[in-house]
């Protein structure tokens, strides 16, 4: 028997309309690519979004068409989010760090009709243009005055929307309609496209702002460092609007000083980014002695949150919070909010919990599976391949040639994890990065995090190298902190007692620059190339 | 173009499973109908729910079957919520205050296969039994020891589930499947059935716990006074489980003293009920001088929140929060959470905002329409018929003979309201209770609330009575506060300056008992009968 409720779709446009009705004066602030600070309110944003929707329609953009964008977090990309999705088209957000080859590949694979980009990326676009097969028009995300800087004769965004009418009647359509497309970073093989539906992003927005997750409220100010060009800036462009949270977009300045300026001047209370970003900010605060009295919490995801970051920010009154997700999860799967009886403990006692990735959002179902496909208990001990399912988790990759899911309909995350009896997830490693040694699994991430606690270690990456007896043994690759004296033996001594004996790396090597991928993570594939023929001493 | 995400349904069972995985030790406490306090954890509840699901299946209950329940807020009715919905059947919650005739009507109309009820309602059920056409079996919500008190030879709930297996594999089905059925109170005409879907209740649960709505979090304790036998206790059985909030069920003791005991001993932080309940509690606190140091907030809905209640509880450190909803809205439409710049004002300055019903939940779309069907602006001035739409709003009544919605698909709430530019809703009256006088509308509720500020007024109801010149004029009907001297002229003098001249009632009449309907509201229909031939002086 069917219920008899209204059939109303979960569309992102409804979030925008809700915000206009309830939070029209809430600010959206951007450090522009051009330089100056731009600020306007949600009501103004909505007006420009409607103008953009009219302009796109006039350009002939129809439901299902893909529109590419390569841009920093700014109000203009924010406008594209709502306008493109709102007319039933698909915003393909492109990660500029993919490089020319992969970026060209994804634009061709998505068959983007138009490409919007910041002036910063004009050289990249100029180099790609000869390769791009489907793009009918190019728009620089700036005004006529600054468009010249792009130097490629493209049209500009402000001229495009200038003459468009302010009124637009948003269409209604099935909530399963595609709204956005994002490709994985493609560290192994070609990037793969994840085609998000309105339903998925709306549901995830509800779930991420829960008091058991990001727990934002009106009066908070969110600065997403996590990029709009990849995994929807963790959905903050939608979730913040849903509950009237002020947004601050950092534009192209993601260094410690640049972030500090925006966090401080806009009294940001909550921010979100990957560990490298937080490390850069912490380093800046340490060097300058500056403080961020308004910042209360920082959400950290993308890779494991190092203990050093938690402690460094805790000293400064900022609670670091770990989350876990993937492009294929829209992207959030867990957020770590501690239960009250743990939250009230001293930092040392609650540290084991803060180092975990948190508990699943409602409707994210997680299971652990061993190599034989047997389902393992959630007991804080069994370690297995993490598989997930839920309404904002991928069903299949865009134009996939083979099935994306397991035979019984779960998505295998490629992560190895432990889940405890209270539901707390602990990612121990990527399946392919786990070091298999003497029949046991050693987590490369665990070694990296322990190494990062050493004063002389700025960045750390661990890979397995062949070993005649143990199959594989860990090699720790380190970038030294400038001005610090440090030796491999010193680091190994430091790690003793912090790690199981089996996890102490056999060797430490120093390099000048850590290879970092398009999403800010250490590129293990590059490290493996660099140390391909590495021979462990004895 | 369709998105490529997993097709996973929004079922209430997923909320239960999520709670077991993450909050299995969180308590659920009940003052039982039998007397003693019962306490167990979510993990225990889930085990009994699975046993109940097995028992129902063994009884032959199939997807779509209706199961009736007449019960207080207890852990047993809570178990029925999840077990009946979880197997795809429909829990028909029956309001015992409907009276024999209407209660029999709704059971026959719903064609309930089985009827569960508390011992309290055994006499009601015994009187109805000869009229009930579809019911194949009766179960008293107690154990063998206490079932005898019901005296009707019915089976009992504990024996039913005692032998059932603890393992149950929850079926998956379309999220639009019906999960619960609730009839309106039927103050005018026969009660009408609202058939909720899993999707509607899950979405509303997400929306009601938002930081901009009920804003509960793990560590909070919720005592829902609002009944499970009507409008799903404002969805708290679902929303609390979604985020791990401890629930305290008050059973049959809803008087001031009874509530105080549970609120105090269980350290309840948040409670929800209609104004009459809150008035009873406030009176108890005033009389006894007792305090509730743990209670932080109280959600009040069902009818307008009187200023006297806000002030009375504010003195005791409890923030009263107004909400608005209807059976047809699952039931929550708005919850009043003040924006930070208003919340920080002194009580007198924020009072005008606290007296409003709050802002709409996301995905609840509201509009005001005049008598000619013209859409009115949300400017804090225009007053019109409130119409709503959204995914948890009724599409049509169960077995409806005529359309429930307007021609363009909105539900007319029967309320008259004003909405301001910030989205704040103010219900001025029920359309049918508005007093039309000299071409203007006067709100009966506004007069009642002003009268309730008078020390000598315990309860107040206002109706329009015929007037030769002005068409209608307000009559204020009052139940005196015991031990207070009060006159009609005294009350009228008190109201001057508080109300527009046009709203000062022409007369005040005193009665001993206010007629209160099945959902705790003043029954204007009864007042109109009592004063049918009332002649205003002069």
């Amino acid at each position: 028997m069917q219920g008899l409720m209204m059939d109303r779709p979960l569309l992102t446009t409804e979030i925008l309309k809700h915000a206009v009705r309830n939070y029209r004066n809430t600010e959206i602030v951007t450090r522009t690519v051009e330089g100056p600070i731009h600020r306007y309110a949600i009501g103004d944003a909505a007006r420009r979004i409607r103008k953009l929707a009219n302009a796109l329609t006039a350009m002939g953009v129809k439901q299902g068409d893909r529109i590419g964008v390569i841009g920093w977090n700014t109000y203009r990309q924010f406008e594209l989010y709502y306008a493109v999705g709102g007319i039933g088209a698909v915003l393909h957000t492109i990660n500029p760090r993919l490089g020319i080859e992969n970026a060209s590949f994804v634009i061709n694979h998505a068959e983007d009709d138009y490409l919007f980009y910041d002036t910063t990326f004009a050289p990249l676009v100029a180099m790609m243009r000869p390769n791009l097969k489907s793009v009918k028009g190019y728009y620089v995300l700036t005004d006529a005055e600054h468009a010249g800087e792009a130097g490629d004769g493209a049209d500009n965004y402000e001229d495009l929307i200038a003459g468009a009418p302010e009124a637009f009647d948003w269409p209604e359509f099935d909530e399963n309609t595609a709204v956005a497309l994002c490709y994985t970073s493609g560290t192994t093989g070609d990037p793969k496209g994840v085609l998000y539906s309105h339903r998925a992003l709306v549901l995830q927005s509800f779930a991420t702002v829960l008091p058991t997750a990001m727990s934002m409220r009106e009066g908070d100010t969110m600065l997403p460092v996590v990029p709009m060009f990849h995994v929807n800036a963790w959905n903050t462009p939608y979730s913040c609007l849903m509950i009237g949270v002020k947004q601050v977009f950092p534009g192209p300045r993601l260094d410690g000083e640049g972030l500090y300026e925006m966090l401080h001047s806009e009294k940001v209370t909550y921010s979100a980014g990957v560990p490298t970003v937080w490390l850069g900010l912490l380093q800046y605060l340490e060097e300058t002695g500056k403080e961020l009295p308004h910042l209360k919490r920082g959400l950290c995801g993308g890779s494991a949150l190092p203990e050093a970051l938690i402690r460094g920010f805790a000293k400064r009154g900022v609670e670091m919070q770990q989350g876990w997700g993937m492009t294929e999860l829209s992207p959030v799967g867990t957020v770590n909010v501690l239960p009250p009886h743990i939250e009230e403990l001293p930092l040392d006692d609650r540290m084991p919990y803060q180092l975990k990735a948190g508990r699943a959002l409602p409707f994210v179902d997680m299971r652990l599976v061993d190599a034989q496909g047997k389902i393992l208990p959630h007991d804080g001990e069994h370690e297995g391949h993490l598989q997930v399912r839920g309404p904002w988790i991928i069903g299949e990759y865009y134009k996939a040639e083979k099935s994306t899911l397991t035979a019984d309909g779960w998505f295998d995350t490629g992560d190895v994890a432990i889940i405890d009896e209270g539901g707390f997830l602990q990612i121990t490693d990527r399946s392919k990065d786990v070091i298999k040694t003497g029949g046991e699994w050693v987590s490369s991430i665990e070694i990296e995090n322990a190494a990062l606690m050493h004063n002389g270690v700025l960045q750390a990456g661990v890979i397995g190298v062949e070993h005649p007896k143990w199959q594989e043994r860990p090699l720790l690759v380190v970038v030294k902190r400038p001005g610090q004296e440090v030796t491999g033996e010193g680091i190994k001594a430091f790690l003793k007692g912090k790690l199981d004996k089996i996890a102490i790396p056999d060797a430490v090597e120093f390099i000048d620059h850590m290879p970092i991928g398009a999403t800010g993570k250490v590129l293990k594939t590059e490290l493996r190339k660099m140390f391909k023929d590495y021979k462990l001493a004895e």
Side-chain angles (χ1 to χ4, degrees), chain A residues 376-394:
Chain A
L376 303 172
H378 297 188
D379 58 2
E381 294 184 4
H382 279 82
E383 190 175 16
H385 298 284
L386 177 64
Q387 302 184 339
V388 293
R389 63 177 184 183
W392 53 82
I393 293 167
I394 191 166

Side-chain angles (χ1 to χ4, degrees), chain A residues 503-525:
Chain A
I504 306 291
D506 282 31
V508 180
E509 292 291 333
F510 296 94
I511 57 175
D512 290 338
H513 299 287
M514 189 62 68
I516 300 290
T519 54
K521 299 178 203 177
V522 172
L523 272 184
K524 300 284 176 86
T525 43

Side-chain angles (χ1 to χ4, degrees), chain A residues 22-142:
Chain A
N22 296 285
Y23 313 112
R24 77 183 66 180
N25 297 322
T26 298
E27 273 190 318
I28 297 172
V29 181
T30 301
R31 186 203 288 270
T32 62
V33 179
E34 297 90 336
I37 302 299
H38 174 274
R39 60 179 70 237
Y40 65 0
I42 286 175
D44 307 315
R47 225 177 344 266
R48 282 171 53 94
I49 290 166
R50 293 192 301 267
K51 287 166 76 82
L52 176 56
N54 275 311
L56 292 167
T57 306
M59 282 158 67
V61 177
K62 303 178 308 299
Q63 288 199 13
D65 289 353
R66 275 81 64 210
I67 306 297
V69 57
I70 315 179
W72 301 108
N73 290 8
T74 69
Y75 67 103
R76 292 193 184 106
Q77 183 159 195
F78 175 81
E79 291 164 4
L80 281 163
Y81 266 55
Y82 281 96
V84 173
I87 65 171
V90 181
L91 188 68
H92 172 206
T93 55
I94 299 155
N95 187 341
R97 298 187 187 126
L98 283 174
I100 295 172
E101 194 181 333
N102 276 337
S104 305
F105 170 84
V106 300
I107 294 169
N108 287 328
H109 190 265
E111 300 172 77
D112 294 334
D113 282 329
Y114 293 95
L115 189 60
F116 290 80
Y117 56 97
D118 275 322
T119 50
T120 321
F121 306 115
L124 172 67
V125 172
M127 284 184 280
M128 289 195 295
R129 272 176 93 145
N131 309 330
L132 303 183
K133 296 171 187 146
S134 56
V135 181
K136 298 185 285 193
Y138 294 81
Y139 292 89
V140 198
L141 289 164
T142 186

Side-chain angles (χ1 to χ4, degrees), chain A residues 232-245:
Chain A
N232 314 315
W234 298 350
N235 255 315
T236 54
Y238 304 112
S239 59
C240 288
L241 230 56
M242 188 182 262
I243 54 171
V245 163

Side-chain angles (χ1 to χ4, degrees), chain A residues 307-492:
Chain A
E307 184 169 341
L309 263 183
I310 299 176
R311 293 191 182 274
F313 277 104
K315 267 189 232 160
R316 291 166 172 81
V318 180
E319 190 195 325
M320 290 303 295
Q321 184 181 24
Q322 187 160 185
W324 168 82
M326 299 179 75
T327 310
E328 290 87 345
L329 269 75
S330 294
V332 188
T334 70
V335 177
N336 196 344
V337 171
L338 300 177
H341 70 279
I342 292 173
E343 197 174 11
E344 67 194 22
L345 297 176
L347 184 59
D348 285 344
D349 296 335
R350 65 172 198 263
M351 187 58 77
Y353 294 90
Q354 285 207 245
L355 286 171
K356 296 186 181 190
R359 290 175 288 183
L361 301 180
F363 288 86
V364 170
D365 201 357
M366 306 191 297
R367 73 178 184 189
L368 300 175
V369 176
D370 72 8
Q372 285 70 46
K374 200 183 114 201
I375 292 168
L376 303 172
H378 297 188
D379 58 2
E381 294 184 4
H382 279 82
E383 190 175 16
H385 298 284
L386 177 64
Q387 302 184 339
V388 293
R389 63 177 184 183
W392 53 82
I393 293 167
I394 191 166
E396 55 180 283
Y397 291 108
Y398 186 52
K399 299 182 183 172
E401 281 166 19
K402 53 179 189 153
S403 168
T404 304
L405 306 183
T406 65
D408 60 346
W410 293 67
F411 174 69
D412 192 298
T413 63
D415 280 327
V416 173
I418 296 169
I419 301 173
D420 70 19
E421 287 183 346
F424 279 82
L425 174 72
Q426 195 179 353
I427 302 290
T428 52
D429 214 339
R430 294 291 296 164
S431 304
K432 60 185 189 302
D433 295 338
V434 164
I435 292 141
K436 283 116 186 157
T437 182
E440 296 204 50
W441 288 1
V442 167
S443 159
S444 64
I445 292 173
E446 195 186 347
I447 305 173
E448 288 161 11
N449 284 341
L452 284 168
M453 300 289 289
H454 189 291
N455 247 341
V457 175
L458 185 65
Q459 289 170 304
V462 168
I463 53 172
V465 292
E466 268 182 56
H467 189 281
K469 180 169 173 193
W470 304 113
Q471 183 186 0
E472 275 188 347
R473 288 296 303 153
L475 165 67
L476 168 61
V477 184
V478 164
V479 175
K480 287 184 195 176
R481 188 177 295 275
Q484 299 277 339
E485 282 298 319
V486 56
T487 65
E489 286 311 308
I491 293 174
K492 280 167 71 174

